[in-house]
Every structure is written in C-alpha cells, then in structure tokens.
Amino acid sequence: MMLNNFETDSIFTPEQVLENRGRVAIFIDGSNLFYAALQLGIEIDYTKLLYRLTGGSRLLRSFFYTGVDRTNEKQQGFLLWMRRNGYRVIAKDLVQLPDGSKKANLDVEIAVDMMALVDSYDTAVLVSGDGDLAYAVNSVSYRGVRVEVVSLRSMTSDSLINVSDRYIDLEAIKEDIQKTPRQSYPYRPLSGIGFLEDPRTSDGHLEIQE
C-alpha cells in the first residue's frame, strides 16, 4: 500500500528518506511550476530548487519541460542558462490557439521520459499537479520506482497524489526555493506567457511581474 504524506512532517527521519531514495531523476513541468509560483507570490531560484529536490541524493538527471518561442532571444538565453546549470531542457514549440493564446502541452514527453529511464533511477521527483500524469506515475511505481510529487496543493489533482509515494506541497518548501531580493531572472520560461524586457543578470533568476 502506498503512503502519501500530506503533513509537512514526514514519519521518516531525514536520514531514512535519503537512504531510501537511491538514484533520483527529476521531472519538472515548467508551466505548472510557474503558475504555482505566481499563486505563492514567490520567484523561483532554480539553483536552490535543484538542490532542494535532490536533497543530497545521487542525481541521475533533472529534466525541465517548457513551451518555447524560438524567435524569442531572451527566452533562449534563459534556457541556455538552465542547460548550463544542471538542467536538461526539453523544449516544444508553442501552438497558437483559436482564442489567440499560445500553449504547449508536454505531458506526453514527461510520461515517455519517465518510462524510458525507469531502469536507471530509484526515485522520481515529479514537479507537477497535472492529473494527466497519474497513469505514468502509477506505471513507473509498478516497476519498483518511488515517486515523489511536488506541487501546490490547490493546483494538484487528487488522482496524482493518490498514486504517489510522497506528496510535498510547494507551500511547505517555498522558503527553500525562492530567490533573494537582489536576484532576478529576465525571462519567463513558460508557455503562453510574455517575456520580460529587463537586462539579463549574471545569476539567472526569474523575476515575476504581476
């Protein structure tokens, strides 16, 4: 029977959690994370995020999935920073919808990568609340993989939580992953969102304008 931790305090000690995690693979739904950060009123420090999600375990790879406009040089600069700072970026061209908005759905890419690498990692950390990924999570679980879902509770499908081994609310770890006031990203890495025009800083942290 799978165990879901809805509380901020785990029944495991930190040492037990790390010992049981083995090799870790991280799968980040960039769009979902961005909107969660907006809801929390924070700006993500992607270096801190990677450190927090890895948690001292052996990292196999960290994937970042995002929709892109390949003509947007500022966005390309952000993605270049991500690639050079520990992330494997999986980009998909934005598609314009009838209402004029743009979107790129990367659920299939996330699911395929989780399954393709299932024999190479022991713990999957999925940063998304999308219930469409529940089937993939359940499938890798049956292959013996431990799955941790990290997302904002108000944006997370119950079906996804129910098939995970551990659920972590972004609200509970926001202090660990938010940038400091002096840090800023000039880009928004998500689908359907305009990109900021501020000059790029050297540390590559996202600045959200409301």
Side-chain angles (χ1 to χ4, degrees), residues 17-144:
V17 171
L18 293 180
E19 180 182 357
N20 293 335
R21 293 178 91 213
R23 296 164 299 174
V24 174
I26 300 171
F27 305 88
I28 301 174
D29 179 341
S31 181
N32 195 275
L33 177 59
F34 174 76
Y35 286 112
L38 277 181
Q39 290 292 320
L40 289 171
I42 67 172
E43 301 167 29
I44 301 294
D45 180 323
Y46 285 91
T47 299
K48 291 181 180 179
L49 177 67
L50 186 58
Y51 178 82
R52 180 63 174 80
L53 296 180
T54 304
S57 298
R58 178 185 172 190
L59 178 64
L60 172 68
R61 188 160 291 163
S62 179
F63 295 95
F64 183 83
Y65 301 83
T66 184
V68 297
D69 175 358
R70 299 187 186 279
T71 65
N72 190 315
E73 293 183 2
K74 290 181 170 59
Q75 183 184 27
Q76 294 303 313
F78 167 79
L79 297 180
L80 177 61
W81 184 93
M82 292 289 280
R83 291 185 179 98
R84 291 178 175 177
N85 287 272
Y87 291 90
R88 177 67 60 88
V89 176
I90 310 300
K92 187 175 184 178
D93 290 341
L94 295 171
V95 175
Q96 186 158 345
L97 304 178
D99 63 1
S101 63
K102 293 182 178 181
K103 185 178 181 180
N105 191 322
L106 286 106
D107 291 347
V108 172
E109 286 79 0
I110 295 173
V112 168
D113 287 346
M114 289 183 74
M115 290 301 302
L117 291 170
V118 70
D119 294 326
S120 300
Y121 61 87
D122 304 297
T123 297
V125 180
L126 174 63
V127 182
S128 179
D130 194 338
D132 290 341
L133 292 168
Y135 189 82
V137 167
N138 203 36
S139 296
V140 298
S141 294
Y142 276 111
R143 296 288 297 273

Side-chain angles (χ1 to χ4, degrees), residues 136-157:
V137 167
N138 203 36
S139 296
V140 298
S141 294
Y142 276 111
R143 296 288 297 273
V145 170
R146 169 188 171 90
V147 182
E148 302 174 1
V149 170
V150 183
S151 57
L152 187 61
R153 184 62 186 92
S154 62
M155 296 174 55
T156 306
S157 168

